[in-house]
Amino acid sequence: MSQIKNKTIWLTGASSGIGLALLALLVAQGNRVIVSARREERLQALRDQYGERVIPLVLDVTDPASLNAARELLSTIVTPLGGLDVAIINAGDCKYLDGGRCDSEIIKQMTRVNFFGAVDCAEIAEPYLKVSPSGGGAEQRKQLVFVSSLATRLAFPRAGAYGASKAALDYLAASLRIDWASSCCDVTLVSPGFVATPLTASNDFSMPFIMSPQRAARAIVRGLERGKASIAFP
């Protein structure tokens, strides 16, 4: 097992929930974390809290202008740091289809955030993660991490928009894992069950085995350190 330590990591969706818990754990292990979320003031607060190990990078994954700005800024951030070691694509949203309606607008919204937002972030990170395999040991491999959901394993009522967007992400991760293997970059899919976050706080149904964001973050980091291609919990 190779500990995630002294690495440069880009983490999206970093200002709340699983992302915020991951940030605390990654910083505690001695990593530098480039944190992305929509609200600049929240990112600055994280910088104030954790100091120079946290580098804010404002990003709205549904806004092309914001994505282009992040693409340019990421280069200026990671080059002096010697590159990027890990990208954790965690930004996401959840909306339900009520009344059995096939609401195309909600489905498009979820796809923009959960799938195309992840695709755009992966494309931005790709030049820094795909490297020459020459002399590449396990400790030199890069990591691309997508945070999906256990909801893709079993259909739930009202969850068609959310589940479909995450299922597309699952397939993308599996395919990229094959395509990027020779470029010294491992692709990992994280599939959490119910986690106590601002998103799940609005759910009006029972959530079995719900866990804290801190426990979820530990499960993710433990899986990454063990080199797992798929991390699912509980």
Side-chain angles (χ1 to χ4, degrees), residues 180-232:
W180 290 20
S182 62
S183 300
C184 284
C185 183
D186 297 320
V187 179
T188 299
L189 183 72
V190 178
S191 302
F194 291 115
V195 179
T197 68
L199 278 181
T200 58
S202 61
N203 285 348
D204 56 0
F205 50 83
S206 175
M207 293 178 283
F209 307 108
I210 190 167
M211 64 171 61
S212 70
Q214 291 74 25
R215 185 179 169 196
R218 290 194 296 271
I220 293 169
V221 170
R222 200 161 49 239
L224 293 177
E225 290 176 337
R226 291 173 177 169
K228 288 189 173 183
S230 176
I231 302 169

Side-chain angles (χ1 to χ4, degrees), residues 129-187:
L129 297 177
K130 292 171 68 176
V131 297
S132 169
S134 59
E139 72 283 353
Q140 294 175 305
R141 293 187 69 85
K142 310 279 190 170
Q143 290 178 298
L144 173 65
V145 184
F146 292 111
V147 178
S148 181
S149 171
L150 276 183
T152 65
R153 312 288 179 88
L154 180 68
F156 289 96
R158 303 165 55 205
Y162 175 77
S165 66
K166 291 294 191 178
L169 187 59
D170 290 7
Y171 193 97
L172 175 69
S175 184
L176 289 182
R177 185 178 305 122
I178 300 168
D179 292 336
W180 290 20
S182 62
S183 300
C184 284
C185 183
D186 297 320
V187 179

Side-chain angles (χ1 to χ4, degrees), residues 85-97:
D85 299 301
V86 184
I88 303 176
I89 312 304
N90 170 66
D93 197 5
C94 179
K95 291 185 179 179
Y96 294 109
L97 297 172

